[in-house]
């Protein structure tokens, strides 16, 4: 059964390369450890619940779990898993933010 759930909720590229920036969020150590190795929809619900109860969740982390950085159509929207494509779009957004920030610093 666990293998069936992994097939539904996990992306093999992310699972094999989960120690990179595409799979990185900022959370307190207590919240981070409470998420454990749960599947994305469970982590997402836990983040939303903790945010609703007033826990500090950085805006970029909330946006990640809400897939704010993912560019998709309604047809390919999958809120049930974090894909390699989601991770790449997240990194693209970070790069854009850093480039804009450093341009402003140079002016």
């Amino acid at each position: 059964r666990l293998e069936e759930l992994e097939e539904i909720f996990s992306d093999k590229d992310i699972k094999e390369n989960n120690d990179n920036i595409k799979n990185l969020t900022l959370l307190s150590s207590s919240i981070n450890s409470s998420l454990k190795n749960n599947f994305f929809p469970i982590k997402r619900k836990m983040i939303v619940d903790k945010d609703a109860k007033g826990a500090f969740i950085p805006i970029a982390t909330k946006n990640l779990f809400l897939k704010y950085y993912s560019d998709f159509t309604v047809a390919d929207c999958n809120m049930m898993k974090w894909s390699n494509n989601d991770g790449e779009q997240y990194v693209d957004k970070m790069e854009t933010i850093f480039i804009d920030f450093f341009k402003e610093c140079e002016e």
Side-chain angles (χ1 to χ4, degrees), residues 48-106:
V48 169
D49 290 347
K50 289 181 183 302
D51 182 54
K53 291 177 182 168
F56 174 69
I57 309 293
I59 190 68
T61 300
K62 280 193 263 191
N63 287 345
L64 181 139
F65 280 97
L66 295 173
K67 292 202 171 195
Y68 182 83
Y69 306 118
S70 301
D71 184 26
F72 48 73
T73 63
V74 173
D76 66 6
C77 173
N78 188 347
M79 295 300 284
M80 300 308 279
K81 71 180 189 178
W82 183 252
S83 71
N84 192 49
N85 189 44
D86 293 319
E88 288 173 5
Q89 291 176 19
Y90 174 50
V91 170
D92 289 346
K93 184 63 175 178
M94 282 190 279
E95 288 174 352
T96 301
I97 289 169
F98 282 124
I99 289 168
D100 291 346
F101 174 79
F102 287 114
K103 279 181 185 175
E104 288 182 23
C105 288
E106 291 176 354

Side-chain angles (χ1 to χ4, degrees), residues 5-6 8-11 14 22-25 35-48 60-70 72 77-84 86-87 90:
L5 291 173
E6 283 181 344
I8 294 169
F9 294 118
S10 67
D11 185 284
I14 292 291
K22 289 190 251 182
N23 199 34
L24 178 69
T25 62
L35 297 178
K36 300 181 182 170
N37 286 327
N38 285 311
F39 297 117
F40 181 78
I42 295 169
K43 289 179 181 180
R44 183 180 182 280
K45 177 158 181 17
M46 292 171 75
I47 291 292
V48 169
T61 300
K62 280 193 263 191
N63 287 345
L64 181 139
F65 280 97
L66 295 173
K67 292 202 171 195
Y68 182 83
Y69 306 118
S70 301
F72 48 73
C77 173
N78 188 347
M79 295 300 284
M80 300 308 279
K81 71 180 189 178
W82 183 252
S83 71
N84 192 49
D86 293 319
Y90 174 50

